Each structure stands twice: as C-alpha cells, then as structure tokens.
DNA sequence: TTGAAAGCGCTAACAC
DNA sequence: GTGTTAGCGCTTTCAA
C-alpha cells in the first residue's frame, strides 16, 4: 500500500482496467460480482492505498451516517458518561458522532442545531440548556431530521421530535427524602438548578415523600444555576434560616461542590452536624469521609438508550420515550438530626 | 420561514428568479453582488427555510471544516476537559468535531483513524491508547491530513505529523518528590500507567529529584494500567514491601481511586499514616479530608493548544510541539513520615 | 456480470 | 453584476 495523495475511485478503476461502477459494486458488496473482478479491484485498492470518500457517498445516498450531539458541557462527568454511552451505541451501528458544546447557553443550542442541520446529520441527540428558549424551539420546529432529547421535556412536540431518554428523578428523590424523614429530619433543604425537567421531578419527589407521610411541607426548595456558587449560597441560606435545615439535598455534582465548601467554611461535618445527599455519583463521593449518600442513575445507559431511540426513529419507528430508574444509596452522610444546643 | 423538505439551491434560485451561481455568491458573501440581488435571494432563502448543504460544499471545496478526535475514554474527567478545550477552539475557527472513543484499545485507534480519513476530516487530534502499536503506526503513516498528538510521543515521525501538545510532567513530579524528600520521606512509591510519554516523564521527574539531592534511588516504581485495580494492587505491594513506602504518588485519577480504596481497607489515613500525592486534579480532591496534594495542569488549555497547533498545520505552518507546565500543589495529605512502631 | 451515463448540491471559471 | 457550465467522487439506473 503506497499512500498516494487523494486517490479516487476513477483511478482505482483505470488501474484495475474496469469501470468505475464495478469498483463501486465491489466496495459495497454488491451480490453480482465475479471473483475475478473482486480480486482485481481489491488489488488496485490495495496498491493505491485508496480510501473511499464518504462525503461523495453521502451526497449521493442522501444520508451521512452521522449524528449530531448538542451538550451543555462535556467536562461535566455526568454528560461525559452519557456521551460515552451514546457514542458507543452509535458507533456499533455504523454512525459517527459530531459533538458540540453549548456552554449551557440556550442561544448556542439553536446555533448548533442549525449547524448540524447544514451538515446533514441523520439525527440529533440533544441535552438542551433550556426547554423554553424561543430560538431553540424555532430551530427544533424547522428540523428535517429526527431528534431525541436527553432528560428534557418540551412544552410542545415539534414535528421531528422522536422521543426522549428520561431519568425517573422523582422516585430516587422520594426514596432519599423518605430516608431522611425516617431519621427524624423535618427541615429539609433541596438545592436545584434551572427550571427544567430534572428540577421539577426532584421537587415533585420531595413533595411526594412529605405528603405520603402526611407531614406539613416543612421543606425549603432553592432554585438557581447548576454551579458551585449557587450550591454555596443556598447552603448558607438554609443554615442561616430562622429554622435551619438539618438535612441538605444537592441536586447535582456542581452544586455539591458548593455545599461542601460552605460546610467546610463553617466547620460543619456531613453526617454529624448536617445530613447530606447528592444527586448523580461523582468520582470520589463514595471515598469521602463520611461517604456521601447519593441518588444514582446509570448515565452510560441513559446515553445508550437515547442513541437507540434515535436509531429507531431513523429507521421509521414511532416516537417513544424511555424512563430509566434512579436509585437512592444511603451512606454515612445521613444520620439523625444533631441535637440543637 | 416554512420548513419545506430538503430544499436545495436550485429551488431557491428559481424562487428568486435568478441563477444558482447568484444564490451561491450571496450566501458566501461574494463582494460583487448588488443589494437588489442580495435582498431577493435572502427573501427566497427565508421563505423556503433553506439550509445550505455543507456536504456538497465540502465535496466541491475539498475541505470539510471538520476535525476528527480519537480519545481513549471521554468519561475520564481529564480527557473530557481536554475535549472541551479543543472543541471550543475549533468551533471558534469554524470547525466541527467528530468524536470517537477507542476504549483505550490500540486496535480501535487504527480503525478510527481510517474511518476519519474516509470522512475526509481536515485534520486529526489524537490521544492514542498506544504509542507503539503497529496498526496505529501504519494508519498514521498512511494519513493524508495533518494530525496533532495530545501528550503522546511517537518513536518516528510520520509524514503528516504536525506536532504535539505535551505536558511537562517531569517538572511537576520533581517538585512533588522534592517536597516529600524535604518532609523526610525516602521510601517513595510511584504508581504509573502504561509505558507512554506521561509515565516515562513522571519517572524521570522522580529520578531527577532523588539525583539532585544526591540520594540513593530508594524509590519504587510500579507500572500497570490506568485503572483503579492497578492502583489498589500497587498500593498493597508498596505497603507490604520489606521496606514499606511512607509516601505514595498516584499517576492519575483512576489510580488514585484504587489507592484510596486500599488505604481505606487498611484503615490508613493519608497525611497521617502515609503521605499521598496524585496527578491531575479530580472534582472532589481538594475537598477531601485531608485535602489531597496534586500535580496539576490546565487540561482545557492543553486541548486548546492542540487544536491551535492543528489549525496552524492546516494553514501550512511547520510542525511544532508545545510543552505546557505542570504545577505541584502541596496539601495536607503530605506530612512527615509516621513514626514506625 | 459489466459498462456508460446521469445526477446528488454546490462552487468557480468563464462569458456576457 | 449576473448567467452558463463543468465538475468534486460517488451510486445507480439502464443497456449490453
């Protein structure tokens, strides 16, 4: 194999002394090809170090075998695992992944959706920065290829909406809060991110757990952004309240970082002074002293499911959404409320 | 804008009552276009909800404005941050990123390089699973577009090698070991991953620090795989040695997890029973009790630099490698050796 | 079973 | 300033 520059099918054909169409047939495993022909063509391919041009193929075929992925921030371990699951499933099916980071800016979501549309991806996987942004909704409405949402819910269903891979946040949250209530906590603080599906569902799980026990709603919910600073401020707020929270639930790993920083600043220890639960496992959380209780989910599987839903839609299946379970894992960061001095 | 199905430039042209080439000129901001023409074309584009087909454009132009990225495992926080940095820089320059996970299998590296070549990416960013794999080297030798390595060094330089973005691991490691030596440690264990650049450089830093102090080489280096299990086994080995290590350096976040598990199992506390240093920050490491000393680097910047080197090469610059600094951050996990009982 | 030719959607000469 | 035309590299009828 001699890597000549930019060999094309025509050159392979002339080298093998056959027609271009024959080369094409050999390379796409067409049934009606004689062994002689196959051998001659493959020899020429080898000699010239020929790599077929998928661009030309895609243009002709009308499909690119590529999927666009719009993600808020790939450096978030949660999204990175989802991406891994999706990429693996897509690759197994012969698709490639075009990745774009929106930096959690709704405006970028819309831009990227349009870019991917120009690149003629066969479908899109979307972890949107906003469920309600007008530009994003317009971009989605104009889409001509199916798209699947990852843990998001839209107010309406655009034409090409092909479903969503969702996590059952409410169930995991209800289990966590149930556990805290059993330990004797009544003043529970829940720190959430933006008003999107995962926030709504978590709040619902909390409310459900209180209602189930016929307890008055003595919880506090603080919405904000999914970043450490909101986690820190919310924690301060919860602890400085007239009736301070005895247990805190951080709705995401970025929030957890802020919570831990604030507890550290006040020299409060999780599991001793305040009980603590977080959402979505983060590398060292189980190795923490004490280990931090967590509402887990299988992120890789979430990405894989989303990819499968999309592949289904591409081959004509009806839109469908899957809800994946979340599991509460109690750990030593949860204990009975500290005795107030 | 009415999202008709698969509008093309021809339809826009006829709708606007002009020639296709005029549409093309308007859309690519050609200087010689009358305001009237521009307005008519843009109106037609708007009415038809037309999105230019980048595939056709790329086929014609001979460039795809896309970059292939081969990464071992995007779910590793280190790689995820590098990816973010690279994607951001590339996007700013108008390029899109095609992401492939090799699952740290050298064989997949070679496959993915060829796939990306068929997709006619304008260049490749490679975080290879092996620097010496024969298939990978053959694939690299056959490449017709420039590629930049991320923290890797090849035994030879293939024709299209355009440089590398490297971290100065040796410097950070030397500083860390120097610190440990000052604290009085002599038996220092270094746990490394596969025999690649980052491992070689870290070992070199360790050796240098000992040599500088004119100390005999009383360290132990254990190479293996970059996963928790090797971290765990190596830790056990270091602690069970006839002359046990009093300080351990974990060469990566996956190794650190194994180290912490083994210390936990033996009820040994970092900073009290054993000193501990890790390489590459991981989300909760600074919030650990005690906080874990770390040899840091700017991962995002590493990705950005790699992207910039590649963009440079695409526009004809000579191959060039950049070495980025690493910084040792001492924390409470490092203390004088415990008194042996 | 194989070859010739049309065309996927676009850009860049080249005329006018 | 605008239109006509020839491909970019491939697949796919349609003939032979």
């Amino acid at each position: 194999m001699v890597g000549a520059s930019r060999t094309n099918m025509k050159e392979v054909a002339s080298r093998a002394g056959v027609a271009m169409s024959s080369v094409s047939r050999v390379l796409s495993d067409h049934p009606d090809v004689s062994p002689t022909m196959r051998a001659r063509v493959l020899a020429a391919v080898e000699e010239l170090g020929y790599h077929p041009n998928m661009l030309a193929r895609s243009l002709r075929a009308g499909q690119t075998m590529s999927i666009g992925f719009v993600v808020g921030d790939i450096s978030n371990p949660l999204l990175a695992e989802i991406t891994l699951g999706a990429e693996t499933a897509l690759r197994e099916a012969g698709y490639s992944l075009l990745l774009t980071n929106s930096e959690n800016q709704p405006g970028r979501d819309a831009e990227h959706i349009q870019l991917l549309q120009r690149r003629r991806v066969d479908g899109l996987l979307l972890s949107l920065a906003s469920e309600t942004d007008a530009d994003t909704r317009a971009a989605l409405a104009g889409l001509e290829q199916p798209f699947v949402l990852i843990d998001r819910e839209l107010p309406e269903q655009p034409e090409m909406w092909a479903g969503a891979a969702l996590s059952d946040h409410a169930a995991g949250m209800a289990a966590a809060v149930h556990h805290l209530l059993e330990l004797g906590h009544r003043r529970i603080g829940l720190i959430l991110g933006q008003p999107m599906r995962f926030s709504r569902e978590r709040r619902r799980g909390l409310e459900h757990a209180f209602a189930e026990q016929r307890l008055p709603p003595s919880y506090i919910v603080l919405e904000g952004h999914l970043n450490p600073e909101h986690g820190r401020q919310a924690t301060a707020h919860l602890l400085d309240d007239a009736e301070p929270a005895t247990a805190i639930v951080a709705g995401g790993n970025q929030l957890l970082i802020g919570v831990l920083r604030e507890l550290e600043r006040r020299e409060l220890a999780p599991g001793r002074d305040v009980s603590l639960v977080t959402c979505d496992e983060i590398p060292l959380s189980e190795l923490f002293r004490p280990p931090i209780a967590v509402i887990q989910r299988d992120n890789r599987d979430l990405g894989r499911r989303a990819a499968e839903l999309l592949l289904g839609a591409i081959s004509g299946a009806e839109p469908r959404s899957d809800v994946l379970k979340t599991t509460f894992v109690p750990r030593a960061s949860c204990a009975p409320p500290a005795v107030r001095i």
Side-chain angles (χ1 to χ4, degrees), chain A residues 82-105:
Chain A
I82 291 173
T83 305
L84 177 62
E87 196 269 345
T88 305
L90 292 173
R91 179 156 38 78
E92 285 167 0
Y95 286 80
S96 295
L97 193 73
L98 271 159
L99 179 78
T100 66
N101 278 286
S102 70
E103 299 172 24
N104 292 316
Q105 296 173 22

Side-chain angles (χ1 to χ4, degrees), chain A residues 17-133:
Chain A
V18 302
M20 253 178 67
S21 50
S22 294
V23 176
S24 174
R25 275 189 281 260
V26 168
L27 263 39
S28 50
D29 285 319
H30 190 92
D32 300 338
V33 189
S34 69
T36 332
M37 174 66 83
R38 153 162 274 102
R40 292 183 63 175
V41 169
L42 291 180
V45 165
E46 183 69 8
E47 288 165 26
L48 297 171
Y50 169 67
H51 286 269
N53 185 330
M54 279 193 65
L55 236 53
R57 183 188 218 293
S58 296
L59 182 60
R60 211 15 253 251
Q63 57 165 7
T64 57
M65 296 304 285
S66 67
I67 298 296
F69 194 179
V70 178
V71 70
D73 173 11
I74 189 70
S75 77
N76 183 324
L78 172 67
L79 272 326
E81 283 183 17
I82 291 173
T83 305
L84 177 62
E87 196 269 345
T88 305
L90 292 173
R91 179 156 38 78
E92 285 167 0
Y95 286 80
S96 295
L97 193 73
L98 271 159
L99 179 78
T100 66
N101 278 286
S102 70
E103 299 172 24
N104 292 316
Q105 296 173 22
R108 285 219 201 288
D109 276 349
E111 276 174 30
H112 292 168
I113 291 168
Q114 301 201 21
L115 169 65
L116 292 167
Q117 190 167 11
R118 286 199 290 280
R119 288 201 180 269
R120 295 291 189 268
V121 293
D122 295 336
L124 296 92
L125 250 25
L126 306 173
S127 173
L128 298 173
S130 161
E131 293 173 338
T132 50
D133 180 75

Side-chain angles (χ1 to χ4, degrees), chain A residues 21 72 84 139 142 166 180 194 209 225 245 264 279 283 291 295 304:
Chain A
S21 50
L84 177 62
L166 307 168
L180 291 171
Q194 293 88 330
H225 285 274
E264 174 68 16
C279 297
I295 300 169
R304 170 172 286 277

Side-chain angles (χ1 to χ4, degrees), chain A residues 29 57 62 133 139 158 240 247 273 296 336 339:
Chain A
D29 285 319
R57 183 188 218 293
D133 180 75
D240 292 337
D273 308 304
Q296 285 181 342
V339 179

Side-chain angles (χ1 to χ4, degrees), chain A residues 129-290:
Chain A
S130 161
E131 293 173 338
T132 50
D133 180 75
D135 290 345
T136 304
R137 287 160 76 180
L140 292 177
L143 229 33
E144 296 169 22
Q145 45 270 97
F147 68 91
V148 163
L149 299 174
I150 298 182
D151 213 20
R152 298 288 186 277
E153 245 166 8
L154 299 173
E156 74 284 326
Q157 291 180 356
E159 191 185 345
M160 299 310 289
W161 178 81
L166 307 168
S167 292
D168 186 5
H169 301 287
M173 182 60 71
V177 173
H178 182 84
H179 180 73
L180 291 171
L181 291 174
E182 295 246 301
L183 286 172
H185 295 275
R186 288 299 175 269
R187 193 64 170 166
I188 298 175
L190 173 59
I191 308 176
L192 295 176
Q194 293 88 330
M196 290 204 275
R197 181 179 187 278
F198 53 85
S199 295
R200 289 192 298 275
E201 292 294 300
R202 283 169 180 158
R203 179 195 290 261
R204 205 163 62 77
L206 169 80
E207 292 167 352
H208 178 77
F210 269 79
E212 199 185 37
Q213 305 282 326
R214 304 182 189 288
L215 290 168
S218 52
Y219 46 76
I220 316 174
V221 181
L222 296 173
E223 279 202 349
H225 285 274
L226 278 177
N227 58 40
E229 186 49 21
H230 170 51
R232 204 194 56 67
Q233 288 180 2
T235 302
H237 189 100
L238 291 171
L239 296 175
D240 292 337
D241 194 87
E243 195 181 337
T246 60
I248 295 177
V249 184
N253 48 43
Q254 296 302 300
L255 295 171
L256 173 68
I257 290 174
V259 173
L260 290 173
R261 284 194 186 141
E262 185 63 19
L263 293 182
E264 174 68 16
R265 207 177 66 77
R266 296 174 180 235
E267 297 183 5
L268 297 176
R272 188 191 66 190
D273 308 304
V274 199
S275 283
L276 181 60
V277 174
T278 188
C279 297
D280 302 329
E281 195 86 65
I282 183 173
L284 298 184
S285 59
E286 78 171 301
L287 290 163
F288 236 74
R289 287 295 79 91

